[in-house]
Amino acid sequence: MGYKYIFGPVFSGRIGRSLGLDLLGKRICSMDCVYCEVGATDSLVTERRPYVPAEVLLEELGQWKQEGHIVPDVITLGGLGEPTLNSDLPEIIRGVKKLFPSLPVAVLTNASPMTDPEVRRELLEADIVLPSMDSLVASEFRAINRPCKGIDPEDVAKALIEFRKEFKGKIFLEVLLSKGYNDSGENLSKMKDFCSELSPDRIDVVTLSRPGTLDTSAPVDSGTLDVWKKALDAAPCIDRECGPDNGAKERNSSDTSAPVQGEDSAAFDRIQASLMRRPQTAQQLSKALEISFSGVVQAIEELEKSGRLIKRQTGDEIYYKFGPDG
């Protein structure tokens, strides 16, 4: 069946094969980052509400489990916006653990709601928290993350450090660099001190590898990226996902993954749901969703006919994503 709030799995360089749960259902976030891969934020808010009620999401996940899919490495709470804005977060985490007791639960977050002690307490139930922190220079923070009024990067940093004192799981920090936005020496100096105090289990310094919200957001050069990675003692993998499956283009009749036929609406829906949350190449979709490359191409061609799918080239790779109405 098609799912409204479950997408993927997708491959992540940090946590492996990840099944995603969308806790917002729409582009609802406390930030409107210039590099955001799902597009511009529609509702810029800090209000917590049960945007997707726990019982609705967990019912979908239970159905997904019953269908006998290959079990992923991790269940990740994320989606189209900031997942910790969902006030049903603790119930969702507990429900996921009940359905998949052997799998870790990860939470993606821009970290800004963690200034609320209640959010920090709720996140203690997760196994992995993946916060982002792009700049500790206030002017840069406002330029690259475009947060709700009143959100201050120093306050967010202090909240993360407080959370670290109690959290028994793993923290994987991500810093995304965009040329001219947050790649200053001042920011690097502040981030070094912050990372030293936070002492996360993993630090990833990355730059844009997929289309962002604004054309003015561009990747930094490899030299700048290397300087930052060395200074922050970052993990060697520079991409948030595994690279494209170069062998996918060579797949033929021996490919055992499921093709997308006209009647196979479930596979088509899985491709569509995945592209709504993250720009990907056809090769990445094929590998993560275990659907034949030719089947993915077929689905992309159908989606392009609707006029909602955007195709953009980054380097040698062609990424597909949904436009504002997608």
Side-chain angles (χ1 to χ4, degrees):
M1 64 170 289
Y3 292 98
K4 189 173 182 180
Y5 303 113
I6 296 175
F7 61 98
V10 297
F11 278 100
S12 164
R14 294 187 287 175
I15 54 178
R17 197 165 186 267
S18 165
L19 182 68
L21 307 186
D22 185 353
L23 274 62
L24 285 306
K26 297 179 180 179
R27 298 183 183 98
I28 299 168
C29 195
S30 53
M31 294 182 179
D32 186 18
C33 300
V34 300
Y35 57 75
C36 186
E37 59 195 27
V38 301
T41 297
D42 294 322
S43 297
L44 188 65
V45 299
T46 56
E47 178 187 9
R48 301 190 75 205
R49 292 171 49 197
Y51 294 100
V52 178
E55 61 268 24
V56 173
L57 195 150
L58 293 172
E59 181 180 0
E60 273 203 8
L61 186 60
Q63 292 172 342
W64 187 91
K65 180 181 180 181
Q66 289 178 3
E67 289 185 355
H69 298 280
I70 295 176
V71 178
D73 299 318
V74 62
I75 307 290
T76 303
L77 312 188
L80 291 172
E82 171 52 46
T84 64
L85 290 177
N86 191 321
S87 55
D88 279 357
L89 179 66
E91 185 179 348
I92 292 169
I93 293 175
R94 289 192 292 267
V96 172
K97 285 178 173 286
K98 186 175 181 179
L99 285 167
F100 294 93
S102 64
L103 295 185
V105 175
V107 182
L108 294 168
T109 177
N110 64 33
S112 64
M114 295 177 71
T115 55
D116 180 352
E118 182 64 24
V119 174
R120 296 200 298 272
R121 282 192 292 270
E122 293 172 4
L123 283 173
L124 292 176
E125 298 192 45
D127 300 293
I128 308 169
V129 174
L130 301 97
S132 61
M133 175 60 71
D134 300 322
S135 183
L136 287 167
V137 179
S139 59
E140 293 181 2
F141 178 76
R142 289 192 297 269
I144 190 169
N145 297 128
R146 301 190 294 181
C148 282
K149 185 177 180 181
I151 297 178
D152 179 80
E154 294 287 352
D155 292 339
V156 176
K158 290 175 183 176
L160 274 168
I161 290 168
E162 285 300 309
F163 177 70
R164 181 52 151 166
K165 294 175 182 177
E166 296 186 70
F167 186 50
K168 305 302 181 183
K170 295 181 178 180
I171 295 178
F172 294 167
L173 179 72
E174 180 179 89
V175 181
L176 189 145
L177 299 177
S178 183
K179 185 177 181 180
Y181 276 95
N182 65 329
D183 53 349
S184 67
E186 180 184 4
N187 187 31
L188 178 56
S189 178
K190 287 178 176 286
M191 290 296 299
K192 284 177 64 176
D193 292 340
F194 166 65
C195 289
S196 178
E197 187 170 3
L198 180 65
S199 188
D201 297 274
R202 174 180 173 128
I203 300 172
D204 288 89
V205 179
V206 299
T207 192
L208 283 80
S209 60
R210 295 183 288 271
T213 303
L214 297 183
D215 290 337
T216 55
S217 58
V220 297
D221 60 72
S222 59
T224 299
L225 192 64
D226 288 344
V227 168
W228 275 72
K229 288 172 67 68
K230 183 177 180 180
L232 300 185
D233 194 23
C237 181
I238 66 172
D239 194 357
R240 285 172 292 172
E241 285 185 332
C242 296
D245 181 5
N246 294 325
K249 293 180 181 178
E250 307 302 324
R251 289 176 177 157
N252 51 36
S253 58
S254 65
D255 187 350
T256 58
S257 52
V260 178
Q261 302 296 338
E263 68 274 9
D264 193 356
S265 60
F268 183 90
D269 288 344
R270 289 170 62 207
I271 293 169
Q272 180 172 254
S274 192
L275 286 177
M276 285 179 66
R277 274 83 178 188
R278 172 175 296 193
Q280 294 167 81
T281 67
Q283 291 89 349
Q284 289 170 341
L285 285 164
S286 176
K287 181 177 180 180
L289 297 178
E290 296 187 323
I291 298 171
S292 69
F293 181 72
S294 60
V296 170
V297 170
Q298 178 185 337
I300 287 173
E301 289 174 350
E302 289 298 314
L303 289 168
E304 284 184 309
K305 291 177 184 177
S306 70
R308 297 183 300 147
L309 202 63
I310 296 173
K311 179 171 66 175
R312 289 182 59 179
Q313 186 157 348
T314 302
D316 295 331
E317 303 296 336
I318 296 176
Y319 287 84
Y320 300 89
K321 74 170 187 175
F322 277 92
D325 297 325

